[in-house]
Amino acid sequence: MRRKNHHHKKKPGFFKKWSAKLHLWFGLSIGLLIFIIAITGALYVFKDEVENFTRKEYIYHNEKNIEHKKILPIRALERLVNEQTNEDFPIHWVNVPIDNKMSYQFYWYEHKPDQWNYFDEFPVYKLAYVNPYTGKVLQVYDEKNGFFAIVKSIHWSFLLKQDWGTYVVGIPVIIFLLMLITGIVLWWPKNKAARKQRFRFQWKDSTQWKRKNYDLHNILGFYSSIFALILTITGLFYAFFVVQASIYYIFSGGETAYPDFSKITTKAPIEMRNEGTIDKISDKVKELYPNAYGFSLDLGHPHLDDHEHPNFEVYVKHLSYSYHKSSSLIFDENSGELLHRHDPEDKNFGEKTVAANYDIHVGAILGLPTKIVAFIVSLIIASMPVTGFMIWWGRRKKNNNFQKNLKIG
């Protein structure tokens, strides 16, 4: 009689073996942190859509016959807002929309860098929607204590001081990046038969939940890995300057110095400045960018974290749904004359990539479709520590039962 050939399972190679160990150790050590980072990221994705819906009656002032009315001067609006709100701090900046049907947005924002947590670090962060034709405050929102601001701070720094809280988030994210790499190594099929099983779910009524959980971890992990990699790197951009510098260097074609316009400064004497200077600047921006979404103007008051402002720069946002397409203009803050203009077509690819980083990270780069992708990928990332832990726990339990049976036998 012929003896049957027994096929022994081939032992994994050195690289795969250590990839498995690192993947497990990393997962058990930072799994909870990655879950928190990912789930808060998913919650934040649709911030603008939610707020645009819930605040619609204030985002648009609904003033009648505006074609026959004039918008009040910005300094006059500022005084009217102060009279109606009685805030302890001066207004920091105003967002001016190009669409005259929209309200002006006045912001109070103060930063105390010597504090250790989010709530103490920002004494005030409020927003007032204001009718620019009457100066009436339509609504004030406490952004600091709002749902999305807290979610963002958890995602950004675990509610810790942002100077070092970003590292507390950034270090686990670096480890997660290594987990993505080791996960791909572990997923990579050895042969054609295994490849078929790794690409799609093949569940039947008899498929056990352990198998389903394993497939969820591996198959979803594989299909989301490239997007997870993008979200990870764009997130590390905010934690580590070396990532910012590397991204700029790579996409600018080897440029090491980011464009510096700090030498373009106010030359006119301060006597030329008056209440109408800021309106002169505002009118010029509206003239240059009639199709933009809006722009921001600093109102020039002293603040708790005052630092050097080399020039008076105005940021112009061209699109309603994202920030990557923007212009920056430098004005003489005494005369109101335009000194410099830097538009999207003037930027090298490195500048454009850096400017697009936020929109890529939150999925806003192409509007709603990419936001949906970012939301789904964030949920999958959040599920990875859960399904991974369940795989480990199931194997641990199985090994414990096997050892008990050996002892009994």
Side-chain angles (χ1 to χ4, degrees):
M1 182 182 282
R2 291 182 63 185
R3 294 180 62 185
K4 291 182 179 178
N5 290 325
H6 294 281
H7 297 282
H8 296 285
K9 202 171 184 181
K10 191 178 178 183
K11 288 185 178 180
F14 176 84
F15 190 57
K16 204 154 194 172
K17 178 183 174 182
W18 275 99
S19 291
K21 286 180 181 292
L22 290 173
H23 196 78
L24 173 62
W25 295 338
F26 289 155
L28 292 175
S29 62
I30 65 158
L32 179 60
L33 299 180
I34 294 301
F35 175 82
I36 294 169
I37 294 167
I39 206 71
T40 51
L43 289 171
Y44 193 78
V45 166
F46 295 112
K47 168 188 176 289
D48 290 344
E49 285 74 14
V50 172
E51 289 186 346
N52 287 344
F53 177 75
T54 58
R55 301 181 180 185
K56 188 175 180 180
E57 61 181 308
Y58 309 118
I59 292 173
Y60 293 90
H61 50 70
N62 297 312
E63 183 73 17
K64 306 296 183 184
N65 302 317
I66 59 173
E67 60 275 7
H68 303 300
K69 297 178 181 178
K70 283 189 175 182
I71 289 173
L72 294 175
I74 291 172
R75 293 298 179 190
L77 286 171
E78 182 186 5
R79 282 193 295 271
L80 288 168
V81 172
N82 283 328
E83 288 171 8
Q84 294 170 76
T85 55
N86 295 313
E87 288 291 336
D88 295 331
F89 298 96
I91 297 169
H92 200 136
W93 76 86
V94 56
N95 283 355
V96 179
I98 298 297
D99 184 354
N100 288 339
K101 295 176 184 176
M102 297 179 72
S103 304
Y104 277 33
Q105 299 174 19
F106 285 81
Y107 283 86
W108 295 266
Y109 181 88
E110 297 292 340
H111 179 220
K112 292 176 73 175
D114 58 341
Q115 302 302 308
W116 69 273
N117 68 81
Y118 165 76
F119 295 102
D120 292 336
E121 188 178 6
F122 299 97
V124 65
Y125 178 24
K126 291 184 177 181
L127 159 63
Y129 290 96
V130 179
N131 183 332
Y133 293 94
T134 65
K136 181 182 177 181
V137 174
L138 305 175
Q139 182 68 294
V140 176
Y141 285 96
D142 183 359
E143 300 286 58
K144 170 186 165 180
N145 296 305
F147 174 77
F148 286 109
I150 293 173
V151 164
K152 181 183 178 182
S153 184
I154 295 170
H155 183 78
W156 173 272
S157 64
F158 292 137
L159 293 174
L160 300 172
K161 177 183 177 180
Q162 62 181 9
D163 284 356
W164 50 267
T166 50
Y167 295 111
V168 179
V169 170
I171 292 169
V173 173
I174 289 177
I175 297 173
F176 176 71
L177 181 61
L178 297 175
M179 288 183 68
L180 282 174
I181 297 167
T182 54
I184 290 294
V185 171
L186 294 172
W187 172 90
W188 201 263
K190 290 180 289 186
N191 51 53
K192 192 174 181 180
R195 197 176 298 127
K196 288 181 179 178
Q197 196 175 21
R198 301 288 173 91
F199 279 113
R200 62 182 184 273
F201 297 101
Q202 294 179 334
W203 294 348
K204 301 174 183 177
D205 292 340
S206 59
T207 305
Q208 293 184 345
W209 74 266
K210 284 185 179 180
R211 181 70 213 186
K212 290 180 178 178
N213 181 71
Y214 182 83
D215 286 348
L216 284 170
H217 188 80
N218 284 275
I219 297 172
L220 290 182
F222 168 72
Y223 282 115
S224 65
S225 58
I226 185 65
F227 300 105
L229 186 66
I230 292 169
L231 293 181
T232 301
I233 293 171
T234 53
L236 289 173
F237 176 95
Y238 297 104
F240 302 102
F241 175 75
V242 65
V243 177
Q244 299 178 27
S246 299
I247 288 174
Y248 179 71
Y249 179 83
I250 292 166
F251 288 98
S252 67
E255 292 287 332
T256 55
Y258 201 77
D260 180 17
F261 305 115
S262 60
K263 292 181 180 178
I264 304 172
T265 59
T266 291
K267 301 294 183 186
I270 196 168
E271 290 78 17
M272 290 188 69
R273 191 189 307 182
N274 55 50
E275 278 212 348
T277 303
I278 199 165
D279 294 294
K280 181 179 179 180
I281 293 170
S282 177
D283 291 342
K284 184 65 178 178
V285 177
K286 289 179 180 179
E287 175 194 326
L288 291 173
Y289 304 101
N291 299 314
Y293 179 72
F295 55 95
S296 302
L297 294 171
D298 192 297
L299 295 181
H301 301 298
H303 298 286
L304 295 178
D305 67 338
D306 262 350
H307 51 276
E308 287 296 318
H309 294 278
N311 48 43
F312 190 84
E313 187 174 357
V314 177
Y315 169 84
V316 181
K317 184 181 178 186
H318 290 283
L319 304 171
S320 62
Y321 59 86
S322 72
Y323 295 87
H324 72 277
K325 189 177 179 183
S326 63
S327 297
S328 57
L329 294 87
I330 298 172
F331 286 86
D332 187 306
E333 60 186 319
N334 291 334
S335 69
E337 293 299 319
L338 177 64
L339 302 177
H340 181 76
R341 181 178 173 183
H342 198 56
D343 291 319
E345 55 268 24
D346 303 320
K347 299 176 182 179
N348 64 47
F349 195 57
E351 288 178 83
K352 291 178 180 179
T353 305
V354 168
N357 188 84
Y358 174 81
D359 292 318
I360 295 169
H361 188 64
V362 301
I365 190 72
L366 297 176
L368 190 58
T370 43
K371 282 196 170 190
I372 292 170
V373 171
F375 177 73
I376 293 171
V377 172
S378 296
L379 289 181
I380 292 173
I381 293 171
S383 76
M384 291 294 104
V386 179
T387 54
F389 178 82
M390 290 170 72
I391 291 170
W392 170 77
W393 186 257
R395 287 175 178 173
R396 181 175 176 272
K397 201 171 179 182
K398 184 179 177 182
N399 289 338
N400 287 341
N401 289 338
F402 178 72
Q403 288 173 5
K404 283 179 183 178
N405 291 334
L406 279 179
K407 288 178 182 178
I408 293 169

